[in-house]
Amino acid sequence: MPLGEKERTLQALLRGYGRVAIGFSGGVDSTLLLRVALDVLGPENVLAVIADTPSMPRKEFLEALKLADTMGAACEVIDPDELSDPRYAANPADRCYFCKKHLFVGIAELAARRGFGIVLDGNNADDVGDYRPGRRAAQELGVRSPLMEAGLTKAEIRTLSAQAGLPTADKPAMACLASRIPYGTPVTAEVLRQVERAEEALRDAGFVQCRVRHHGEIARIEVAVDELPRLADSDLRELVVRRVKEAGYRFVTLDLQGYRTGSLNEGLKKGLASA
């Protein structure tokens, strides 16, 4: 389907929803969704809802608040309090299910109080074949994913974002901080903050697409493959090691495969494939 037709499908879906509450993170997907919803439905019929949670970096949270305001969207903040759920904190392979359940219940309750009938999320067409247990929570609670329903891929969403002049068009992917913790390792506010500080160190050093995977005392750094040569510079390498250790790690390692989404799912995917 041509991109223009997908865009028109997205607009038609939104018109059919009426008043909507959008789970908003300030990322590429939810920002485009919010922009189109505001244009199609009008600001009075759209509510952006941001989760204030330890799994969202403070910088990202503050940027999302500012972006919603800049776009002229009504915005509310909720605390999904997922860390209070022992099923989430234990960090099983379906951790995202419990996280999204808390998030969407919170959004739905707020939306009902404010008179918004439909809850939307920013899942796109690329998410269909990926391992995303959070999708099950969305489906159970009737959350709609109009970007996915319109068949829009991440690349197409970036194209439309650029055409709309959105500042997120080239924004790097940013999954929740809990995705840096191997399954079975408990998720705590302290570990999330540790990961956040370590990744701040990498971004302060100029790395754009990066992750710090948490393995107890070991920080496993992933940076984009084309940025790997930068760490051959001894001064930069020493700076990164010092700052990551200051975040609370004893050892700092570099993953030579470079950054890739969901690297902690690799063992899980092998298990699913052999099952």
Side-chain angles (χ1 to χ4, degrees):
M1 186 185 300
L3 180 55
E5 188 172 344
K6 290 184 180 182
E7 184 179 17
R8 290 188 290 274
T9 298
L10 173 62
Q11 294 167 346
L13 286 168
L14 290 169
R15 289 191 190 95
Y17 295 150
R19 306 191 79 214
V20 300
I22 298 174
F24 183 65
S25 67
V28 180
D29 301 326
S30 63
T31 298
L32 179 70
L33 180 58
L34 180 60
R35 177 71 274 158
V36 178
L38 289 168
D39 292 343
V40 170
L41 299 173
E44 69 278 7
N45 293 313
V46 180
L47 178 66
V49 184
I50 302 174
D52 185 4
T53 166
S55 65
M56 185 178 191
R58 291 297 84 192
K59 182 180 178 182
E60 293 291 315
F61 173 72
L62 295 174
E63 286 182 353
L65 285 173
K66 182 178 179 180
L67 183 55
D69 181 64
T70 300
M71 295 171 70
C75 182
E76 295 278 357
V77 176
I78 63 169
D79 176 9
D81 195 26
E82 69 273 23
L83 280 171
S84 67
D85 186 339
R87 297 169 299 178
Y88 169 86
N91 199 13
D94 59 349
R95 176 199 67 239
C96 286
Y97 169 80
F98 302 108
C99 176
K100 295 298 187 184
K101 195 70 174 281
H102 281 266
L103 173 64
F104 291 136
V105 165
I107 295 176
E109 291 176 349
L110 172 63
R113 292 196 302 270
R114 295 286 302 275
F116 294 85
I118 301 292
V119 175
L120 309 181
D121 71 13
N123 277 291
N124 64 62
D126 290 338
D127 298 326
V128 173
D130 199 4
Y131 177 68
R132 292 181 178 267
R135 284 288 303 149
R136 180 160 56 94
Q139 292 164 349
E140 289 176 359
L141 294 168
V143 176
R144 301 296 294 270
S145 304
L147 298 174
M148 179 183 289
E149 293 177 38
L152 285 161
T153 66
K154 176 71 80 173
E156 291 171 330
I157 290 167
R158 290 190 184 279
T159 297
L160 292 176
S161 297
Q163 292 174 358
L166 295 173
T168 51
D170 295 321
K171 184 174 182 177
M174 175 59 73
C176 79
L177 293 171
S179 67
R180 282 50 155 186
I181 306 172
Y183 297 124
T185 299
V187 178
T188 67
E190 292 74 21
V191 169
L192 293 171
R193 177 56 183 155
Q194 185 177 349
V195 171
E196 181 179 0
R197 289 180 60 201
E199 290 193 354
E200 284 175 358
L202 290 176
R203 292 190 176 87
D204 288 346
F207 292 97
V208 177
Q209 189 68 78
C210 56
R211 295 285 186 270
V212 173
R213 307 297 184 183
H214 176 88
H215 299 275
E217 294 182 322
I218 301 172
R220 175 168 59 87
I221 293 174
E222 295 177 9
V223 301
V225 172
D226 60 356
E227 292 188 297
L228 283 172
R230 293 188 58 213
L231 287 166
D233 180 90
S234 59
D235 290 338
L236 178 60
R237 187 171 63 253
E238 289 173 7
L239 172 64
V240 168
V241 169
R242 176 171 57 80
R243 290 284 309 279
V244 173
K245 284 187 174 183
E246 287 173 356
Y249 291 100
R250 184 176 180 186
F251 303 105
V252 183
T253 66
L254 177 63
D255 190 322
L256 295 180
Q257 287 184 262
Y259 165 76
R260 58 226 185 262
T261 60
S263 70
L264 290 176
N265 284 341
E266 289 171 359
L268 179 63
K269 289 176 180 177
K270 289 178 182 178
L272 291 174
S274 63

